[in-house]
Amino acid sequence: MQREPGTLNQPATEFPEAGGSLTSGTSRRLPLLFTRLILFVYLLHTRRTRGHPQCLDYQPPFKPLWHLEFCRHYEKFGCCDQKTDNNIATRYWDVMDLIGDEGYEVCGDLVKDIMCQECSPYAAHLFDAEDPYTPVRHLPGMCHQYCSDFLKKCQFVVKYLTNNQALQEMSERDASHFCNLINLPDQDYCYPNVLSNSILYSNLGKVVEDTKGCLQLCLTEVANGLRNPVLMVHSGDDTHRMFVAEQLGFVWVYLRDRSRLEQPFLDISGEVLTTQWLGDERGFLGLAFHPNYRNNGRFFIYYSILINDKLEKVRISEMKVSTNDMNVADPYSERVLLEIDEPAANHNGGQLLFGLDGYLYIFTGDGGKAGDPFGKFGNAQNRSALLGKVLRIDVDGWSRDGKPYRIPPDNPFIGVRDAKPEVYAYGVRNMWRCSVDRGDPLNHYGRGRIFCGDVGQNRYEEIDIIVKGGNYGWRAKEGFECFDIKLCQNASLDDILPIYAYGHHVGKSVTGGYVYRGCESPNLNGLYIFGDFMSGRLMALEEDKKTGSWKEKNVCMGDTKTCSYPGLINHHHKFIISFAEDEAGELYFLATSYPTAMSPFGTLYKFVDPSRRAPPGKCKFKPLPVKVRGKKVPFTPRELTVLGISETPTRSPLAKLIPPTKPPGTRQPTRAQTSTSAPKEKIPGQTTKAKKHQKKSRDQHKPKQQGKVSHKKKNASPVKNSIPQTKKDKKATGQQSNPTTNKQVSQELNNTTSLKPTKSQTKSKVWQQKDKKTATVVKKHYKAAKNNPTKSKKTQKGAVSKKKKAVFNVEQF
């Protein structure tokens, strides 16, 4: 921040979003060797002990949508949008009007720095707001030396920055004790030390990494009590409902409030082949809604069946939603499209999805057992078999030979000898969970790509991008290595290598995921996030667009500090069954602690990036109304959150000051102008509603005598007793105590929050000012404060105004 003349002459820091600094910090006064030793120890442990950035609304910081006119240092990254910035500016200029021109020249920039800390990405640290059960300070935590220097020059401004009379008296009577109360135990985060910490600001706004380079993410619990939840999909009809399928054959509807409809959307548990065996792969496996589902109500399912108690098959069918209830499927509408014999109980595939071309993609397994032992080359390399394939069909018509679907005209093997026309790609083992990339929200890069996780045999798991006519190598290859030596050395193989593969020391059963394209977590954009069923490990891939290669990034659960937000958890069940994407593009995954079709331990989790969020208002959408005929089962969380609470506190973080009306003849400062790149905001204090409120306040609190009004009434509550002092403080007033070890400071902070205004105190908070004596009174008041920072109460009475009034709410400072 560029300082105007009249401020304390100290250099500003060089770190991003840093305001000016009153002092260079106490560390510069230490011997050079000792300072270096402290810095070395700090750098050694700071990555592990670094706290997370957090705003006063208990959420991560963000990059504002539009330019900030007032607190400009935090327009690149912070906790204020334009509306909050305008509110701070309004409060600031109201204070400047009260202290006059000379006070503005000396204290204007300092007060601005203090007030703008609400916009700091570390606002929660500065205002002691990380604990949602305690009130929020009205003043940020200032380092002791900074506070002392501020009081020497601007002590008379304190009463305009906080409503707390105990602090107002303490700033006049005992500057050292006042600064001890304002200080923070953690000196890394008090202002302005927080600005000079390069470690804190070097990775600000980026996904936090632990000491091993693992991306720390957090989770929210969305649903629980599910029996092996194999998938979650949305219907794409702007209702933003979530459809969660259980392996048994049930599909449940979840609404935006996380409640579940009591009646299932679909129940075909009587038709689905499933068992109680641990890890049995058969059951309800796939669900996809037609791209035009909103109008035609059609959806498609994939599940295991048993014919005559002997023959096992997988069935792909079309169904329709009920005409009477949008949350229930028509049980009599099933139309079988395709059935494929399964020679073994495992490797059943199960993914259904619609590509951007409008065609239905079907992903089948190689038939099971081990090593694809079917035929000379196995099912996967045999293009005349439907197993071990990616199939593509047109479900909006019938073929000439009577099939209830058509073959897309550009399918790659139409007319090819010994090849099924439905085949789109081949050479896959058992692709478990595939997804379509929505593309970058700005430039649409990657839009339409299909990612799949292909489960390996003995050594490797792999991630593939599906292309038309592609051969993905199985059983000739597993990952990048040869599995069948003869097939692998065949010159005609021409297989497509995976974009990533990992060994069985990492995990033994890949679960394919999604490329994140949501709005709420901008840092995750473009990351392909997936996991492993057996190891419970979460992973991510980041693309190098220049080379087309993909780099691994491990994902882990954030530590306690990283996930200290209301409603967030940092743990999940081990067995990761599936990943999911809601209609807005936010990312989820489903996991269970015991992988059987009958065990109700499945949970649906949502990913949250605790280091950065989208700016307020950017991710809002209006879902279409959902007509609910039956009962709703409210969501009851089971997982223990980091903070022990699931909901964000509803109380206002900071008291909203009611600005006084401007007396005629006073200075007219140039106010911050609203940015032309954003809608204009109404400034509080200038609206008709605010003026009426101020007039009502004047009528209610009008004193009987129109003479001098004292700031403190004799019959006011004894605030001296509300802040207990130590013997050391009483004997040596003005000496600095150690804020890092003094437990009494924390107790005093809590004691001041319990003060409530009496009737006489409320009346005493009305200031009046004569028009003719405005400049003289303020000038005398300023000179007195400059000469004697701890001036008497009688001197303060000279700053009282008769016509200008300000009403404050009493909260913690």
Side-chain angles (χ1 to χ4, degrees):
M1 173 179 176
Q2 295 181 351
R3 295 192 174 276
E4 299 177 7
T7 58
L8 295 178
N9 187 19
Q10 293 292 342
T13 57
E14 298 180 356
F15 301 108
E17 291 100 43
S21 174
L22 278 173
T23 67
S24 59
T26 57
S27 61
R28 296 185 181 179
R29 300 176 183 176
L30 298 174
L32 182 59
L33 181 61
F34 185 56
T35 303
R36 290 180 177 177
L37 178 61
I38 293 178
L39 181 60
F40 173 78
V41 175
Y42 179 79
L43 291 175
L44 184 64
H45 297 283
T46 187
R47 288 182 66 89
R48 187 172 300 174
T49 60
R50 178 182 61 191
H52 64 290
Q54 182 179 327
C55 300
L56 295 182
D57 59 357
Y58 311 104
Q59 295 189 55
F62 55 88
K63 181 179 180 181
L65 280 173
W66 302 298
H67 171 69
L68 300 184
E69 293 290 345
F70 188 68
C71 300
R72 297 183 180 181
H73 308 288
Y74 300 109
E75 68 176 4
K76 292 183 179 180
F77 190 72
C79 294
C80 288
D81 56 9
Q82 193 182 43
K83 181 179 179 181
T84 305
D85 182 63
N86 286 341
N87 289 339
I88 295 174
T90 301
R91 287 158 44 198
Y92 170 81
W93 289 116
D94 289 332
V95 173
M96 293 301 103
D97 286 347
L98 290 171
I99 67 176
D101 289 333
E102 295 190 38
Y104 169 74
E105 290 179 1
V106 175
C107 302
D109 283 342
L110 304 181
V111 173
K112 180 178 180 180
D113 284 345
I114 292 173
M115 296 182 71
C116 280
Q117 293 317 300
E118 295 179 36
C119 301
S120 168
Y122 290 100
H125 293 275
L126 292 167
F127 287 87
D128 274 345
E130 293 190 297
D131 185 352
Y133 293 108
T134 61
V136 179
R137 289 173 174 237
H138 206 183
L139 288 175
M142 292 183 276
C143 303
H144 197 281
Q145 187 60 47
Y146 179 94
C147 175
S148 299
D149 293 339
F150 172 73
L151 283 185
K152 289 179 182 179
K153 303 186 73 67
C154 306
Q155 178 271 332
F156 62 93
V157 185
V158 172
K159 62 177 174 289
Y160 303 121
L161 298 180
T162 177
N163 305 330
N164 191 281
Q165 287 202 2
L167 282 178
Q168 292 177 10
E169 283 193 353
M170 191 62 64
S171 68
E172 302 160 9
R173 186 179 72 244
D174 190 342
S176 180
H177 201 160
F178 173 85
C179 290
N180 285 342
L181 290 174
I182 294 300
N183 204 346
L184 296 176
D186 191 343
Q187 293 297 286
D188 288 330
Y189 291 101
C190 65
Y191 183 80
N193 285 3
V194 67
L195 302 176
S196 59
N197 193 324
S198 61
I199 304 299
L200 291 178
Y201 275 89
S202 60
N203 292 316
L204 192 60
K206 299 180 181 179
V207 182
V208 179
E209 296 183 9
D210 65 6
T211 54
K212 297 181 180 179
C214 188
L215 301 180
Q216 295 192 58
L217 299 180
C218 308
L219 306 171
T220 57
E221 182 185 5
V222 180
N224 52 43
L226 295 162
R227 295 162 295 186
N228 257 27
V230 292
L231 61 90
M232 186 202 89
V233 293
H234 63 85
S235 52
D237 57 356
D238 295 327
T239 61
H240 289 264
R241 293 173 293 172
M242 297 183 292
F243 296 79
V244 179
E246 294 176 322
Q247 188 176 358
L248 284 171
F250 291 90
V251 178
W252 303 96
V253 178
Y254 285 83
L255 304 179
R256 289 292 301 167
D257 61 0
R258 301 188 182 181
S259 64
R260 190 194 78 184
L261 300 189
E262 188 178 49
Q263 182 180 1
F265 174 78
L266 179 65
D267 176 7
I268 57 170
S269 56
E271 298 291 330
V272 173
L273 171 62
T274 186
T275 70
Q276 297 184 7
W277 297 350
L278 187 68
D280 193 338
E281 300 177 17
R282 297 168 296 182
F284 188 94
L285 303 175
L287 170 65
F289 288 89
H290 193 280
N292 195 27
Y293 174 78
R294 181 174 177 178
N295 297 318
N296 61 30
R298 299 165 62 195
F299 64 94
F300 301 83
I301 55 177
Y302 185 127
Y303 60 98
S304 304
I305 59 173
L306 183 62
I307 306 297
N308 297 326
D309 296 329
K310 292 182 180 180
L311 181 61
E312 294 184 11
K313 293 185 177 184
V314 291
R315 174 183 289 171
I316 297 92
S317 297
E318 175 189 316
M319 296 190 72
K320 291 184 178 181
V321 69
S322 171
T323 57
N324 300 320
D325 191 341
M326 64 184 301
N327 296 307
V328 176
D330 182 354
Y332 305 104
S333 63
E334 182 174 7
R335 181 170 68 100
V336 177
L337 301 181
L338 190 64
E339 288 184 349
I340 306 172
D341 293 349
E342 284 286 350
N346 58 341
H347 299 189
N348 298 285
Q351 181 69 53
L352 293 179
L353 59 82
F354 279 90
L356 296 183
D357 51 20
Y359 298 132
L360 179 65
Y361 289 74
I362 304 168
F363 299 80
T364 63
D366 65 2
K369 297 185 179 181
D372 194 7
F374 307 103
K376 184 178 181 180
F377 305 111
N379 282 326
Q381 290 296 320
N382 181 7
R383 293 181 296 190
S384 64
L386 295 180
L387 294 173
K389 305 294 188 299
V390 180
L391 310 178
R392 186 174 72 156
I393 61 175
D394 181 359
V395 296
D396 292 331
W398 290 72
S399 63
R400 294 180 179 178
D401 58 358
K403 294 180 180 178
Y405 57 85
R406 290 184 296 204
I407 303 299
D410 62 337
N411 267 16
F413 300 109
I414 296 178
V416 176
R417 183 181 177 183
D418 296 330
K420 293 283 188 180
E422 291 91 347
V423 174
Y424 184 79
Y426 64 104
V428 304
R429 185 174 181 272
N430 187 36
M431 287 189 163
W432 182 248
R433 293 309 167 235
C434 305
S435 62
V436 179
D437 186 0
R438 295 188 179 207
D440 188 281
L442 296 179
N443 56 29
H444 304 296
Y445 175 83
R447 189 170 185 264
R449 294 181 299 186
I450 298 177
F451 290 79
C452 286
D454 198 3
V455 180
Q457 178 71 46
N458 298 324
R459 299 177 63 188
Y460 296 102
E461 309 294 310
E462 67 182 65
I463 301 295
D464 299 296
I465 297 179
I466 305 302
V467 296
K468 183 170 66 174
N471 179 4
Y472 291 87
W474 177 251
R475 72 182 184 191
K477 286 184 178 180
E478 180 186 13
F480 294 101
E481 305 295 332
C482 288
F483 178 81
D484 185 319
I485 302 298
K486 292 183 179 180
L487 286 178
C488 188
Q489 294 175 347
N490 192 330
S492 63
L493 183 62
D494 193 23
D495 60 317
I496 297 175
L497 296 177
I499 62 172
Y500 178 74
Y502 62 91
H504 280 190
H505 66 285
V506 176
K508 297 182 178 180
S509 182
V510 65
T511 300
Y514 283 79
V515 178
Y516 180 81
R517 301 297 187 184
C519 174
E520 296 177 6
S521 301
N523 284 336
L524 303 184
N525 183 36
L527 288 181
Y528 177 75
I529 299 179
F530 63 104
D532 188 273
F533 174 81
M534 293 299 295
S535 67
R537 189 167 181 171
L538 293 168
M539 292 167 276
L541 299 178
E542 184 177 27
E543 182 182 13
D544 185 339
K545 296 179 181 179
K546 294 182 179 179
T547 63
S549 60
W550 294 79
K551 181 181 179 181
E552 176 192 4
K553 285 185 172 293
N554 287 328
V555 176
C556 56
M557 292 295 96
D559 56 25
T560 300
K561 284 188 176 181
T562 303
C563 297
S564 291
Y565 295 94
L568 294 193
I569 59 178
N570 58 354
H571 59 275
H572 61 83
H573 298 317
K574 176 183 178 181
F575 300 100
I576 301 174
I577 302 175
S578 184
F579 285 78
E581 185 183 55
D582 66 17
E583 197 163 356
E586 300 306 322
L587 189 60
Y588 303 73
F589 72 95
L590 303 108
T592 185
S593 59
Y594 194 72
T596 68
M598 310 298 180
S599 302
F601 303 122
T603 302
L604 174 63
Y605 302 96
K606 179 181 179 181
F607 284 101
V608 176
D609 175 17
S611 64
R612 180 186 174 190
R613 60 169 157 151
K618 183 178 181 180
C619 302
K620 290 184 177 179
F621 51 84
K622 265 193 171 183
L624 292 178
V626 178
K627 297 179 181 179
V628 178
R629 291 180 175 271
K631 295 181 179 180
K632 295 194 296 183
V633 180
F635 170 68
T636 302
R638 295 181 180 177
E639 303 297 329
L640 181 64
T641 63
V642 173
L643 288 181
I645 58 176
S646 299
E647 300 297 332
T648 302
T650 56
R651 62 170 171 80
S652 176
L654 285 176
K656 294 183 179 180
L657 305 180
I658 302 175
T661 55
K662 188 186 299 179
T666 57
R667 175 179 55 85
Q668 300 286 341
T670 303
R671 295 178 181 267
Q673 299 296 324
T674 306
S675 173
T676 57
S677 61
K680 295 183 178 181
E681 301 285 350
K682 294 184 179 180
I683 301 177
Q686 294 185 351
T687 62
T688 304
K689 183 177 181 180
K691 291 180 179 178
K692 289 181 179 180
H693 185 73
Q694 291 170 0
K695 184 177 179 181
K696 184 177 180 180
S697 299
R698 289 197 296 267
D699 295 339
Q700 292 177 351
H701 304 293
K702 186 175 182 181
K704 294 181 180 180
Q705 296 181 358
Q706 296 298 329
K708 296 182 179 179
V709 180
S710 175
H711 284 209
K712 302 176 182 68
K713 295 290 185 180
K714 293 182 179 180
N715 59 352
S717 61
V719 294
K720 293 182 180 180
N721 296 332
S722 65
I723 303 182
Q725 293 184 1
T726 61
K727 294 181 179 180
K728 184 178 179 181
D729 291 332
K730 292 180 179 180
K731 291 180 180 181
T733 303
Q735 294 182 359
Q736 180 179 356
S737 62
N738 186 0
T740 61
T741 59
N742 189 0
K743 296 182 180 179
Q744 184 183 2
V745 171
S746 177
Q747 180 65 29
E748 291 172 350
L749 298 183
N750 294 330
N751 288 341
T752 57
T753 64
S754 62
L755 294 177
K756 296 183 179 179
T758 62
K759 185 174 182 181
S760 58
Q761 285 177 331
T762 306
K763 290 182 179 180
S764 67
K765 291 185 181 69
V766 180
W767 287 273
Q768 297 179 338
Q769 190 174 24
K770 292 184 178 181
D771 299 341
K772 298 180 181 180
K773 296 183 179 181
T774 299
T776 305
V777 171
V778 175
K779 186 175 182 180
K780 290 180 178 180
H781 179 65
Y782 161 70
K783 289 182 177 180
K786 182 178 181 182
N787 296 329
N788 184 12
T790 58
K791 59 188 178 180
S792 64
K793 301 176 184 178
K794 294 182 180 180
T795 307
Q796 285 190 357
K797 296 179 182 179
V800 177
S801 170
K802 286 187 178 180
K803 289 187 178 180
K804 192 165 187 178
K805 303 178 180 182
V807 180
F808 297 85
N809 299 320
V810 176
E811 280 196 7
Q812 186 180 7
F813 53 94

